[in-house]
Amino acid sequence: LDLLIDRAEAGSVHHYMSVVRDKDRRVREAALRGVGKHGTPAELTELVALLNDEIGDASFRRPFESCTAALCRTFADAGPASAPCLAALPKATVPGRPSILRVLGILAEAEGLAAIVGDTKSPDEGTRDAAVRALATWPDATAWDSLLTVARDTENLIHHVLAVRGCRRLLGTMADADPEDLKVLYDAALAVARREDEKKLFVFSLEGVSIRDLKVKSKRPYRVRRGGMRKGATWTTDRKYTFSKVPAELVGATYIQTAMDDKAASNKADFLSFRIEEPVVVYVGFDSRCRKLPKWLAAWEKTALVVREETNSCRLPLYRKAFPVGKVVVGGNKALGVGAIFTVVVVPGGGGQ
């Protein structure tokens, strides 16, 4: 099968289709790779029909669903890629409907969203579960209101958690929104969250954390900007660099304007300190060009979040650490490969985690 796929010989697709239901998982997956790569509209029609058949459980079906989605995109032409699946929904079987919904979730087109939202209230448990999971991974804010509704109304705790965390993920795509608008969205999600684990995800303050007694082992100026972290905020006190990308988790947070000329000033563990009157999580954005982190940063958790500065084409991956009430200490910036000073951002304890 792999040889046929690599050689892309004409007329081989029927060989792939003849073994897509083979007992051997490796054979099935190889055959579906071939169909996805060389299939025609006829194979797409056959695959949609297969999804409506009793071919196996959800894990068995996933490669079929991925292959179907790939062919839908290939033959979308000028219309929506989801058209073949939407056409099959009215006559979908009980096992087939969840599969088709998962394909619509993979395609993530506006045309498929209404069908997915409608089935979040399906009386069939499998259909309802597939719909909620597809909605929870929707890539843009068009799913926001529906996710809030599911989170508020469902009696299924798993579906509630999926919907709430789907809302949190969507907020991460809205970093360019006005902070006032973001606060409304955060508050709306907080209002429907039931468990403390989820409530902590929606801590948002336009005022920012209050910090005092800022001390720096440098003669250059460092300034606290309470509630000032957002796109366009000034990064340093001695340059006009501004942040071009700020994660939604940090919009409206307090940050410290550092001095670019201190980028190689020190690697001591107590370079910068301040005091806080509530538990916080401190984020440090450290130059991505660093080839060896300073020792003090080894105790901090690296996140998937990044702050960017457009003028200097600089990326600052974010590291975080929780601190109780009292003194916060941050080390110096000096490290191998570093060409820019760090940034320090402070959010309420539990926020952004």
Side-chain angles (χ1 to χ4, degrees), residues 28-29 56-65 102:
R28 291 196 307 272
E29 292 181 356
D57 61 16
S59 62
F60 187 99
R61 288 170 170 271
R62 285 193 187 100
F64 289 84
E65 293 159 2
R102 285 191 288 268

Side-chain angles (χ1 to χ4, degrees), residues 17 19-22 28-29 32 46-48 50-51 55-70 99 103 106:
M17 288 300 299
V19 291
V20 293
R21 298 179 70 168
D22 194 272
R28 291 196 307 272
E29 292 181 356
L32 287 166
E46 194 171 344
L47 278 174
V48 173
L50 271 176
L51 294 181
I55 60 173
D57 61 16
S59 62
F60 187 99
R61 288 170 170 271
R62 285 193 187 100
F64 289 84
E65 293 159 2
S66 297
C67 184
T68 302
S99 270
V103 176
I106 295 170

Side-chain angles (χ1 to χ4, degrees), residues 19-259:
V19 291
V20 293
R21 298 179 70 168
D22 194 272
K23 293 181 179 180
D24 188 317
R25 176 184 57 82
R26 295 170 301 172
V27 173
R28 291 196 307 272
E29 292 181 356
L32 287 166
R33 282 198 304 272
V35 174
K37 191 172 183 179
H38 304 300
T40 70
E43 280 71 47
L44 174 56
T45 300
E46 194 171 344
L47 278 174
V48 173
L50 271 176
L51 294 181
N52 271 318
D53 202 352
E54 296 278 359
I55 60 173
D57 61 16
S59 62
F60 187 99
R61 288 170 170 271
R62 285 193 187 100
F64 289 84
E65 293 159 2
S66 297
C67 184
T68 302
L71 286 183
C72 282
R73 290 193 179 106
T74 299
F75 301 110
D77 295 326
S82 51
C85 292
L86 291 171
L89 267 182
K91 296 183 179 180
T93 62
V94 172
R97 194 172 189 92
S99 270
I100 293 172
L101 291 172
R102 285 191 288 268
V103 176
L104 291 174
I106 295 170
L107 296 172
E109 291 183 318
E111 291 82 0
L113 182 58
I116 290 172
V117 170
D119 274 344
T120 60
K121 298 180 180 180
S122 170
D124 177 71
E125 183 179 350
T127 297
R128 190 168 63 252
D129 184 73
V132 170
R133 290 177 184 277
L135 187 65
T137 59
W138 202 259
D140 61 52
T142 55
W144 175 264
D145 289 340
S146 299
L147 280 171
L148 278 182
T149 299
V150 171
R152 184 191 65 228
D153 296 345
T154 184
E155 296 179 1
N156 184 312
L157 180 59
I158 292 176
H159 290 173
H160 169 76
V161 172
L162 286 169
V164 168
R165 291 184 176 265
C167 287
R168 185 64 190 81
R169 183 183 50 77
L170 287 181
L171 284 170
T173 70
M174 304 178 191
D176 291 341
D178 183 273
E180 295 281 356
D181 295 334
L182 266 181
K183 187 175 188 321
V184 171
L185 297 174
Y186 269 81
D187 288 348
L190 179 61
V192 301
R194 299 172 190 169
R195 306 190 310 170
E196 287 303 316
D197 284 350
E198 278 70 54
K199 289 180 180 179
K200 289 190 296 186
L201 299 174
F202 301 103
V203 177
F204 188 91
S205 172
L206 289 173
E207 295 182 353
V209 172
S210 174
I211 67 178
R212 58 186 177 85
D213 297 337
L214 174 64
K215 295 179 181 179
V216 186
K217 292 183 177 179
S218 169
K219 295 181 179 180
R220 300 180 176 91
Y222 282 60
R223 300 190 185 101
V224 175
R225 297 301 188 191
R226 185 175 180 183
M229 190 63 173
R230 64 198 64 191
K231 181 179 179 180
T234 304
W235 174 10
T236 62
T237 59
D238 55 353
R239 302 286 195 280
K240 294 183 179 180
Y241 301 146
T242 59
F243 297 119
S244 61
K245 178 181 178 182
V246 175
E249 291 90 333
L250 303 186
V251 173
T254 294
Y255 78 104
I256 297 173
Q257 278 185 312
T258 49

